[in-house]
Amino acid sequence: MRFLHTADWHIGRRLHGFDLSAEQEDAFQQIEQIALDEQVDGMIIAGDLYDRSLPAETSVAQLDRMLQRLNLTDHLPLYAVAGNHDSATRLATGNPWYQSTNFYLATKLEEAFTPVELPDTQIFLLPYFEPFAAQQYFNDETLVHLDQAMVPVVEQMKTQFNPQKKQILVAHFFVAGSAKTDSETQLTVGGLASVPAALLQDFDYVALGHLHGKDALHEPHMRYSGSPIKFSLSEAQQSKGVWIIDTDPFQLTFKPLKPLRDVQQITAHFDDLIDPTFYAQFDRENYFGFILQDRKPILNALPRLREIYPNVVSLSREEGYSTAVESQGMSGKQIRQKDPVALLGDFYESVAKEALTAQQMSWAKETLKIANDGGTKS
Amino acid sequence: MRFLHTADWHIGRRLHGFDLSAEQEDAFQQIEQIALDEQVDGMIIAGDLYDRSLPAETSVAQLDRMLQRLNLTDHLPLYAVAGNHDSATRLATGNPWYQSTNFYLATKLEEAFTPVELPDTQIFLLPYFEPFAAQQYFNDETLVHLDQAMVPVVEQMKTQFNPQKKQILVAHFFVAGSAKTDSETQLTVGGLASVPAALLQDFDYVALGHLHGKDALHEPHMRYSGSPIKFSLSEAQQSKGVWIIDTDPFQLTFKPLKPLRDVQQITAHFDDLIDPTFYAQFDRENYFGFILQDRKPILNALPRLREIYPNVVSLSREEGYSTAVESQGMSGKQIRQKDPVALLGDFYESVAKEALTAQQMSWAKETLKIANDGGTKS
């Protein structure tokens, strides 16, 4: 069978205050088109459908439209789980009705142990859960951490395995991968809150959500799909898309998504950024995080950049300003006795790594004179 | 056909800080039992399913359970509309799937014009809407008030009327009824935000929600069901329940609900309220609003009452305290020259309409002496 694997839609998410609903809609339409073009047998959505447990009405309306479109208009079977950003309770509204159209949604741990039975595949839908839920379900207080809790979870799933079928696990948590050397496979456990990949080896495919980059894990039969769009500057370098999984023979294909507005991190001098020949290379509607290589003060840098790039999401300095001014061995008394204009020149050079120009020096002298004369300009 | 008509569940509502979810659950079970006993063909829920547009998770879980129970377990068709307390958008989640099991829910005005077609009945589901929605739908800016907006709404519904069938309207708004005199029917229009009952005369039954008392309107073929439980002291005298409607021949029967804990307003003297022979007549677990007939000060009245009645929701005085103390013609100077104990006696009598007892007078003198002696008790 062939499935599309996506996750971490985070409907309602904002990027440094910018509304991403148009980006979400655009990515969704691409995902829908890929599903139709690839004639998949269903779509896996591995958690974090919403960005918040209490989504805004507009987010509710947007996700509702998307799911109705896929399942009711396109007649695509859906296999979804709640992520840690979702409210399991709120997401579950309507759930018992969804199965009539092959929309399978798991929001509670206990739902993970009854797989969706397809002719040659079993799909286990494991929502995000806290170890406490496993303690209650298994009546075992020793299941304090996620890696401990996942041992009986997988064991119980295996009791349902039909050897005539393939098994797919849909889950939403952090999986710590294995690092393979030439001679052996060494297991690297990432911590108490992560699940060792080895624990999940008996599934034919593990469709993961939680991490936003598709390259977060490179186990042969496990993948994070990553989010459909970039949600932060730290994701600027990631390639976003969805996986197409064929179960028999097993094959994984990554289908990239083209961003409506990309998220880019640019390191440059201010004068370059405002130079038309420089910015001609960019789609200026993108979301930009700028890192200025300048050290000198730049008046109104952000408003000036926003005139050219309307969607600046962050502005910082590569080197910062010098915060500690070097006193170059002079005592406080010596500094206080210096000529004020010379002192300003030293300070400017110390911060901006440039001397004052003759024009700047002349402005400084004039302003100082006005100040000394009582504050009125002649 | 036979329907059960209820409304205004307001799931999540609190009574002066008290959680009513147990009352809601109990009333729900009675409603369910009535529906089953009466073998109704469906249940009408005329709006305000939730108390808030943004219900708490516990409220979402509670309403979800109720609707699933009725529709998926009991296989009862449901005919519901959004009320002004509901978020139409949030309530609509899952809606397109519900019709597969005869759960019909209208949250948008435009949904009101396609009736649910039953063999001999058409059910028009009109959710709460603002006149602005009608302005947009009919492209008519003159529809400023609800009574104006309802004219084309009803007109458009009538184009769908099948003369072979009965027509039921489910709606959530304020209907101004007619006041009938001996000789004629006079129409009383309640205001811009209300709908004249005459406008709705062509429906065989109008199942209303919005007002919490079943007796708010007494048109022959229109009723408010009222809320299943009492939500405030002002509803203390109301009889709560649901209507059973038979369409052919037309018949209306009120089925009362027995409150788990009733809401009662009691006017009495404090000494009676704390007298076991007096309170033996009450179920002390009820929610009580007490109106004290006393005028004298009562120390710690609320905590003392709560020891007997754990669910006191309000405490007030029938006559209040005297706020303006009568000076009985004395000047300020005369008052200041009076003996302090005598002054206290006058004041007490003025407020409490009783003289100080000998014991109280003795306490007052002792306390005054301590104060005059410098504040230490001997």
Side-chain angles (χ1 to χ4, degrees):
Chain A
M1 301 188 83
R2 171 176 284 190
F3 299 97
L4 185 150
H5 166 201
T6 178
D8 295 277
W9 289 6
H10 287 269
I11 299 298
R13 184 126 176 173
R14 299 176 78 85
L15 177 66
H16 294 264
F18 287 93
D19 178 2
L20 294 177
S21 58
E23 279 74 12
Q24 298 272 27
E25 196 63 39
D26 180 78
F28 169 77
Q29 286 171 12
Q30 294 181 61
I31 294 172
E32 181 195 19
Q33 197 55 53
I34 292 169
L36 298 176
D37 290 346
E38 297 290 324
Q39 298 181 292
V40 298
D41 297 301
M43 186 183 294
I44 292 165
I45 313 174
D48 282 358
L49 287 76
Y50 286 117
D51 189 50
R52 300 164 53 181
S53 63
L54 222 166
E57 274 197 355
T58 49
S59 304
V60 171
Q62 185 169 34
L63 182 65
D64 281 354
R65 274 197 311 274
M66 291 173 173
L67 298 176
Q68 288 169 25
R69 172 89 189 170
L70 294 174
N71 186 243
L72 298 179
T73 306
D74 300 333
H75 302 293
L76 268 176
L78 299 181
Y79 308 97
V81 299
N84 55 310
H85 278 248
D86 300 305
S87 154
T89 301
R90 293 182 193 280
L91 199 62
T93 293
N95 196 359
W97 283 269
Y98 297 153
Q99 298 192 9
S100 65
T101 55
N102 295 315
F103 173 9
Y104 299 91
L105 169 65
T107 62
K108 294 193 286 274
L109 173 60
E110 55 265 38
E111 296 168 332
F113 305 114
T114 311
V116 180
E117 297 282 354
L118 304 179
D120 62 359
T121 305
Q122 295 178 300
I123 302 184
F124 290 83
L125 298 173
L126 176 63
Y128 169 81
F129 67 99
E130 298 281 350
F132 181 67
Q135 287 182 27
Q136 291 188 297
Y137 183 80
F138 294 106
N139 198 17
D140 180 351
E141 290 182 10
T142 68
L143 307 176
V144 177
H145 301 297
L146 186 62
D147 56 337
Q148 298 165 329
M150 275 304 291
V151 173
V153 166
V154 172
E155 256 172 35
Q156 179 151 343
M157 286 177 174
K158 284 188 188 172
T159 64
Q160 304 297 311
F161 276 25
N162 177 342
Q164 310 302 317
K165 297 186 181 185
K166 304 287 183 184
Q167 282 81 34
I168 292 178
L169 172 65
V170 180
H172 188 94
F173 45 44
F174 180 53
V175 173
S178 62
K180 200 167 184 172
T181 66
D182 280 353
S183 57
E184 57 181 336
T185 298
Q186 285 186 323
L187 200 67
T188 311
V189 178
L192 301 170
S194 70
V195 177
L199 200 53
L200 311 173
Q201 294 295 353
D202 292 328
F203 291 96
D204 294 280
Y205 182 63
V206 182
L208 290 162
H210 195 41
L211 303 181
H212 290 186
K214 74 168 173 66
D215 297 311
L217 184 77
H218 272 285
E219 293 295 307
H221 289 204
M222 297 179 202
R223 283 290 184 282
Y224 284 96
S225 65
S227 55
I229 61 176
K230 298 175 184 177
F231 288 128
S232 73
L233 287 166
S234 68
E235 299 176 26
Q237 297 306 316
Q238 294 178 357
S239 170
K240 297 298 189 182
V242 299
W243 291 105
I244 300 293
I245 316 109
D246 288 294
T247 56
D248 197 14
F250 183 77
Q251 196 182 332
L252 269 176
T253 314
F254 187 73
K255 296 281 177 183
L257 301 174
K258 189 182 164 340
L260 179 65
R261 296 185 193 88
D262 204 358
V263 176
Q264 289 182 282
Q265 182 110 271
I266 308 289
T267 302
H269 282 95
F270 185 80
D271 289 341
D272 288 335
L273 290 176
I274 61 173
D275 179 349
T277 57
F278 180 86
Y279 63 65
Q281 67 183 305
F282 299 116
D283 178 349
R284 290 190 280 131
E285 293 296 314
N286 284 349
Y287 296 103
F288 288 100
F290 290 123
I291 300 173
L292 298 182
Q293 293 177 306
D294 314 75
R295 289 177 65 92
K296 65 183 176 190
I298 299 167
L299 209 62
N300 293 325
L302 189 57
R304 288 163 71 190
L305 286 169
R306 284 210 165 127
E307 280 175 22
I308 299 166
Y309 312 88
N311 304 318
V312 178
V313 296
S314 123
L315 180 63
S316 59
R317 300 268 185 161
E318 190 174 37
E319 308 272 341
Y321 298 94
S322 297
T323 48
V325 174
E326 304 288 333
S327 60
Q328 295 161 327
M330 290 191 291
S331 71
K333 192 178 172 193
Q334 285 172 312
I335 289 175
R336 279 193 295 278
Q337 287 172 342
K338 265 195 120 178
D339 168 57
V341 174
L343 197 58
L344 176 68
D346 288 353
F347 175 73
Y348 185 87
E349 198 169 338
S350 170
V351 172
K353 307 298 179 202
E354 289 175 7
L356 286 172
T357 63
Q359 176 66 70
Q360 286 172 323
M361 189 71 84
S362 150
W363 284 332
K365 282 179 181 162
E366 190 188 347
T367 304
L368 195 67
K369 187 172 178 299
I370 293 167
N372 286 338
D373 289 353
T376 50
K377 192 158 179 175
S378 59
Chain B
M1 301 187 83
R2 172 174 284 190
F3 300 97
L4 185 151
H5 166 200
T6 177
D8 294 278
W9 290 5
H10 286 271
I11 299 297
R13 184 124 175 175
R14 300 175 77 84
L15 177 67
H16 294 264
F18 286 92
D19 179 1
L20 295 177
S21 58
E23 279 74 13
Q24 298 272 25
E25 196 63 39
D26 180 77
F28 168 78
Q29 286 172 11
Q30 293 181 61
I31 294 172
E32 181 196 17
Q33 196 56 52
I34 292 169
L36 297 176
D37 290 347
E38 297 290 324
Q39 297 181 293
V40 299
D41 296 301
M43 186 182 294
I44 292 167
I45 312 174
D48 283 358
L49 287 76
Y50 286 118
D51 188 52
R52 300 164 54 180
S53 63
L54 223 165
E57 274 196 356
T58 48
S59 304
V60 171
Q62 186 170 32
L63 183 65
D64 282 355
R65 273 197 312 273
M66 290 173 173
L67 298 176
Q68 288 168 26
R69 172 89 188 169
L70 294 175
N71 186 243
L72 298 179
T73 306
D74 300 332
H75 303 293
L76 268 178
L78 300 181
Y79 307 98
V81 300
N84 56 309
H85 277 248
D86 300 306
S87 154
T89 301
R90 294 184 193 279
L91 198 61
T93 293
N95 195 359
W97 282 269
Y98 297 152
Q99 298 192 8
S100 66
T101 55
N102 295 316
F103 173 8
Y104 299 91
L105 168 66
T107 61
K108 293 193 288 274
L109 173 61
E110 55 265 37
E111 296 168 333
F113 305 114
T114 310
V116 180
E117 297 283 354
L118 304 179
D120 62 0
T121 306
Q122 296 178 299
I123 302 184
F124 291 82
L125 298 173
L126 177 62
Y128 169 82
F129 68 100
E130 298 281 350
F132 181 67
Q135 286 182 26
Q136 291 187 298
Y137 183 79
F138 293 107
N139 198 19
D140 181 351
E141 290 182 9
T142 69
L143 307 175
V144 177
H145 300 298
L146 187 62
D147 56 338
Q148 298 166 331
M150 274 305 289
V151 173
V153 166
V154 171
E155 257 172 34
Q156 180 152 344
M157 286 177 173
K158 285 188 187 172
T159 65
Q160 304 296 312
F161 275 26
N162 178 342
Q164 310 303 316
K165 297 186 181 183
K166 304 286 185 187
Q167 281 80 34
I168 292 178
L169 173 64
V170 181
H172 188 95
F173 46 43
F174 180 53
V175 174
S178 61
K180 203 168 183 173
T181 66
D182 280 352
S183 57
E184 57 182 336
T185 299
Q186 285 185 324
L187 199 67
T188 311
V189 178
L192 301 169
S194 71
V195 177
L199 200 54
L200 311 174
Q201 294 294 354
D202 292 328
F203 291 95
D204 294 280
Y205 183 63
V206 182
L208 290 162
H210 195 41
L211 302 182
H212 290 186
K214 75 169 173 62
D215 297 310
L217 185 77
H218 272 284
E219 294 295 308
H221 290 202
M222 298 180 202
R223 283 291 184 281
Y224 285 96
S225 67
S227 54
I229 61 175
K230 298 175 185 177
F231 288 128
S232 73
L233 287 167
S234 67
E235 300 176 27
Q237 296 307 317
Q238 295 178 356
S239 168
K240 298 297 190 182
V242 300
W243 291 105
I244 300 293
I245 315 110
D246 288 293
T247 56
D248 197 13
F250 182 78
Q251 195 183 333
L252 270 175
T253 313
F254 187 73
K255 295 282 176 184
L257 301 174
K258 189 181 164 341
L260 179 66
R261 296 185 194 87
D262 204 357
V263 176
Q264 288 183 281
Q265 183 111 270
I266 308 288
T267 302
H269 281 95
F270 185 81
D271 288 341
D272 289 334
L273 290 176
I274 60 173
D275 178 351
T277 58
F278 180 85
Y279 62 65
Q281 67 182 306
F282 299 116
D283 179 347
R284 290 190 280 131
E285 292 297 314
N286 284 349
Y287 297 104
F288 288 100
F290 289 123
I291 301 174
L292 298 183
Q293 292 177 308
D294 313 76
R295 290 176 63 93
K296 65 184 176 191
I298 300 167
L299 209 61
N300 295 324
L302 189 57
R304 287 164 71 192
L305 287 169
R306 285 213 164 124
E307 279 174 23
I308 299 165
Y309 312 88
N311 304 318
V312 178
V313 298
S314 127
L315 179 63
S316 59
R317 299 267 183 163
E318 192 174 35
E319 309 272 342
Y321 297 94
S322 298
T323 50
V325 174
E326 305 288 333
S327 60
Q328 293 161 327
M330 289 192 290
S331 71
K333 192 178 172 194
Q334 285 173 312
I335 291 175
R336 279 192 298 276
Q337 287 171 345
K338 265 195 122 176
D339 168 57
V341 174
L343 196 59
L344 175 68
D346 288 352
F347 174 75
Y348 185 86
E349 197 168 341
S350 170
V351 171
K353 307 295 178 206
E354 289 176 8
L356 286 173
T357 62
Q359 174 68 69
Q360 285 172 326
M361 188 71 84
S362 150
W363 283 333
K365 282 180 182 161
E366 188 188 347
T367 304
L368 195 68
K369 184 171 182 300
I370 294 167
N372 286 338
D373 289 352
T376 50
K377 191 159 181 173
S378 59

